Every structure is written in structure tokens, then in C-alpha cells.
Amino acid sequence: MKINTARNSNSLTIVIPTRERSDTLLYAIRTCVEQNYDNLRILIADNFSKDNTAAVVSSFMDKRVSYVNSGRRLSMSGNWEFALSHVDSEYVMFLGDDDGVLPGAVANLMNYAAENETIDAFTWPSVDYGWPSCPNSALRNTIVIPFTKGIEVRYTDEILSEVIRFKRPYSELPFIYKGLVKTSAVRKLRDASGGTIFHSMIPDVYFGIASCAVIEQYIYFSRPYTLNGASGHSNGTSSFSKKEGSNAEQLFLAEENLPFHPALTYCPSIPILITESLLQAHTKLPILRKHPVDFDATIRAAVLQLKRAEDNVFNDVIKALQKMSASISIKADTKLALASATHNPFSSASRVYGMDIFNKRFLIDCTEFDVNDCFSASILANSVLGLQKNKELSNLAAVMNAVRLLAREMKKRSR
């Protein structure tokens, strides 16, 4: 699928792929139109929705907002591919329809991009936000803000080696999903991949790995610029929670997706999804075969990440791992780790709000501040990030009082 090659200097397109999620989409768009940057296009890529998605988009009287409809139901990867064919800006970012962009983020990011023209990608951590509908009780009605600082140039070969050995999260790769990527690099990836960019049913993970074939170095910010929303619509949250009444995963799996790699069995496990994308990338991008698959490391990491899993997620992943281990050669200690796997599900009652100095993050109870959507969550999170300059940050009472004052001001702004 062709990507428009017109060059529009220092311009950005934020792509929001969506399908029948107008209730959260409204607020995701709102975080974008509040950005103080004119050379911005907010592209809603509607995957043939049957609800009022088009009406929600048209309610924004902002010339930067545009809308395209696929005209037929596509897989997630197919809709991402379709969306990219409508991008003509210098940079592109994908945003989920229950996610958000923090206030002022676009102007700051584009300033960095203008000062670093030789860099093809910029990546950062996101604030995590659990919508009231979030099926994951550990995150529901909670904002988790990473409190880290720093900017560094990273090299993709080094980072990818750590990601596929599960020593670093895949979101620290050059990321198009809540990351900033030059469309020239996207075109290079498309051309190197036979004319199609996405070759896995998990497009965000796949892009992070595949991009390492065409991007040698990128900039990583430790400060968040986006908000990762987890709602009842979220495919990933639904997969990793499997709560009754949450059918996002079933809808996703029912689509005409690209087939999962035959060496693996689909299950809600990050290590399995990483290895699947790596295997698919090996097929289309031979240069990445210098990063071999380690099935033993994959299974051990999958078992380790099950320690706090819900019962039904634990059972589903263990069954999938047992099936895979019967068809691939793994070491005796890997088999033992799989056979002795146990878990202790997270209890929301054990959660403590405030500053988590061990994990360098700040947790906020949204019910205290009347935060019910990603727009209000993004404002509150961004305001709290500003408190990092406050020397009294270690004083929890002072910080919480400041947060309450910020929440009060935020309510006034939203009226």
C-alpha cells in the first residue's frame, strides 16, 4: 500500500485507528485538538464503524481533524496500513482511541525533532491510566506517572538484543505507537518488506522490532509525553485480564487477522508476542536474522511474567506454553520452570497511592479527583509531572495537597 511521499517540513500526523469506540474516541481526540501546534493533522482512521464515530469526529470544529473510512472491515494491521496510506507529513505517531497526548507535548516533541534532523525516531514512556471500565482491577481508576528524567541517543542493535532477551520492554524500541517516527523511515521499511509494513497481527510490537532494520539510532526521552489508556475496549487489557463482560479480545481474534506464526501459539503473553513479531520480521527482513530467536528464554520469561496473573490468564498461557514446548526443542531447566510455574494474583486492596520511590512512579486514585476519561487524566498527569521541580516532592502530604489543587483547577477548565 502506497504512502503519500509529499514532504511537509516539521509536520506531524497523529493517527487514531478506531472501530466502534466513539465513547472513548471523543476524549482521545480532545487531547489532540488541545495541542498548541498548527502544523498538525489529527487523522481518524475508522475501520468501518457502525456507531456514531463519524458524528463524533465531525463535532470537532478544528481544521486539523480529518477522517477516513476503510469502507470495509479490516484487521487491526490492515487498518494501520490503510491509515498510513493517507499520511503525507514529515512525522507520524499512532495513538489508541482510549489514549491521550499530554498538554503541550506535540510542540515540545517537534522542537526536539527540528533540532535533531538526522534522527528518525523518538520514543518515551507513557503515563498509564485505567478508565472506570478497565477490566484490570490493578489499574482501574488509577493514574501511574513515571518520574524519571533524561534524554539519550540509543542504538537499535543494542536495544533490540536486550528486548528479545526480555531484559528491556519492547516499548523502548523505535515506536510508532505513542512514539514519533519520520515517514521517510516508514517508507524505507515498507520498501524493504515487499510493499507492506505490518506482517504480524500485533502491529505495534511488530513495528518496534521491524524498524530496527532501517533505523540505526534514535532518541529516548525518560519523560512521558503520552497517556496509555486502558478501557473496556482495549484489546491488550482485555487479553491480559479476561474479565467477564470484556469482549475486546474476542472481537480482535474474530477478525481476519494475519496468521500467528506457526511455531507459536497465541496467548496473552508479552514474551510470546515479542518472539512472534521477531519470527515474522525474520521472514521479511533478513538483516534482522542476526538477532536469533531463543525459545528457552521466551518460555522462561513467559512463566516469570505470570507470577501476578489472573487465574484464567495463567491457565491459558500455561496451556499454550505446554503446547509449544511439545513441538519445539527446549532445555530441561526450561521444562522444569514450566512444570513448576505458580502465581499469586494482584489484589487491588494492596495498592498504595502516592510516591513509589522504589519504582520511581507516582500513583493517583482517580476517584478522589473526579477523573473519568483520558482527557482529564492527561491534564492531571501533566500537572503532577510539573511538580518534579518541587523540592518538597518527597513530602507526600505536600504533593497530594498540590495534586488536589491542580484537580480543582482542572475541573474549572473542563466546564
Side-chain angles (χ1 to χ4, degrees):
M1 186 170 288
K2 183 179 179 181
I3 298 175
N4 194 321
T5 58
R7 183 174 177 82
N8 190 354
S9 181
N10 214 35
S11 59
L12 167 65
T13 298
I14 298 178
V15 178
I16 307 181
T18 191
R19 187 190 70 182
E20 294 166 3
R21 300 173 176 180
S22 60
D23 55 332
T24 58
L25 175 66
L26 171 69
Y27 297 100
I29 298 175
R30 193 174 176 189
T31 70
C32 297
V33 299
E34 289 291 319
Q35 297 298 312
N36 57 338
Y37 194 77
D38 290 333
N39 208 358
L40 169 67
R41 183 186 181 202
I42 304 156
L43 176 63
I44 315 305
D46 186 358
N47 191 358
F48 202 47
S49 295
K50 298 298 185 181
D51 63 359
N52 64 331
T53 291
V56 165
V57 177
S58 64
S59 70
F60 287 92
M61 307 302 291
D62 190 313
K63 65 181 182 180
R64 298 174 299 175
V65 177
S66 59
Y67 172 86
V68 291
N69 191 301
S70 60
R72 62 185 179 89
R73 185 56 52 87
L74 303 174
S75 67
M76 178 185 289
S77 295
N79 195 38
W80 284 40
E81 202 86 43
F82 166 74
L84 277 173
S85 71
H86 293 271
V87 172
D88 61 4
S89 54
E90 186 177 6
Y91 294 88
V92 62
M93 174 198 302
F94 273 67
L95 189 73
D97 54 16
D98 55 4
D99 299 332
V101 184
L102 299 187
V106 169
N108 287 334
L109 288 168
M110 297 311 293
N111 283 338
Y112 279 114
E115 294 169 0
N116 297 274
E117 293 183 346
T118 61
I119 299 295
D120 287 333
F122 302 82
T123 307
W124 54 86
S126 286
V127 171
D128 287 322
Y129 165 61
W131 286 72
S133 62
C134 178
N136 182 354
S137 61
L139 185 58
R140 187 183 307 128
N141 290 316
T142 300
I143 296 173
V144 183
I145 306 171
F147 264 16
T148 50
K149 297 181 180 179
I151 303 174
E152 60 181 304
V153 175
R154 291 184 171 181
Y155 296 88
T156 53
D157 267 353
E158 297 174 5
I159 302 301
L160 180 57
S161 293
E162 294 185 11
V163 168
I164 64 175
R165 287 182 287 134
F166 315 104
K167 296 183 177 181
R168 188 184 291 271
Y170 68 87
S171 57
E172 292 192 17
L173 290 166
F175 223 41
I176 200 169
Y177 182 57
K178 294 188 286 285
L180 193 68
V181 181
K182 276 189 177 179
T183 51
S184 58
V186 178
R187 289 195 295 273
K188 287 180 186 177
L189 178 58
R190 176 207 60 192
D191 294 342
S193 305
T196 302
I197 299 162
F198 303 105
H199 294 277
S200 169
M201 65 189 292
I202 315 295
D204 57 336
V205 180
Y206 179 82
F207 185 92
I209 291 174
S211 68
C212 297
V214 297
I215 297 174
E216 293 184 5
Q217 62 181 23
Y218 62 104
I219 286 180
Y220 183 82
F221 302 104
S222 294
R223 184 201 192 280
Y225 287 101
T226 49
L227 180 143
N228 179 49
S231 71
H233 297 311
S234 303
N235 295 324
T237 307
S238 175
S239 299
F240 287 86
S241 298
K242 292 185 179 294
K243 294 294 187 182
E244 186 177 350
S246 179
N247 63 350
E249 182 191 26
Q250 286 74 22
L251 290 173
F252 169 67
L253 294 176
E255 295 172 345
E256 293 185 12
N257 284 301
L258 297 172
F260 209 66
H261 195 281
L264 302 171
T265 301
Y266 175 82
C267 60
S269 169
I270 294 296
I272 297 300
L273 301 184
I274 290 173
T275 297
E276 196 273 344
S277 287
L278 180 62
L279 286 168
Q280 301 285 19
H282 281 179
T283 302
K284 294 294 180 179
L285 299 160
I287 192 174
L288 293 181
R289 293 174 188 167
K290 62 184 175 182
H291 297 282
V293 169
D294 186 335
F295 288 112
D296 285 282
T298 300
I299 292 178
R300 289 196 298 271
V303 169
L304 183 64
Q305 290 193 7
L306 286 174
K307 286 189 176 295
R308 302 306 297 269
E310 305 280 353
D311 289 341
N312 43 9
V313 173
F314 178 86
N315 293 333
D316 284 357
V317 174
I318 289 296
K319 287 178 183 178
L321 295 179
Q322 290 171 340
K323 181 179 179 180
M324 284 182 276
S325 65
S327 59
I328 57 178
S329 177
I330 58 174
K331 298 175 182 177
D333 60 340
T334 304
K335 293 180 179 178
L336 178 61
L338 178 56
S340 58
T342 59
H343 71 301
N344 181 25
F346 177 89
S347 171
S348 59
S350 64
R351 181 171 27 189
V352 177
Y353 296 102
M355 190 65 194
D356 178 356
I357 59 174
F358 298 105
N359 295 301
K360 296 182 179 179
R361 60 183 190 173
F362 193 86
L363 282 74
I364 300 174
D365 181 357
C366 295
T367 61
E368 283 194 41
F369 306 107
D370 197 26
V371 169
N372 295 299
D373 58 74
C374 63
F375 175 70
S376 55
S378 70
I379 295 174
L380 181 56
N382 193 64
S383 299
V384 173
L385 281 166
L387 296 175
Q388 282 185 288
K389 300 176 182 179
N390 190 331
K391 294 181 179 180
E392 295 184 350
L393 184 61
S394 59
N395 185 326
L396 179 58
V399 171
M400 293 307 293
N401 183 59
V403 170
R404 289 186 175 89
L405 292 173
L406 290 167
R408 186 183 304 169
E409 183 62 27
M410 181 185 67
K411 288 181 184 179
K412 292 179 183 177
R413 288 185 56 185
S414 65
R415 288 170 184 168

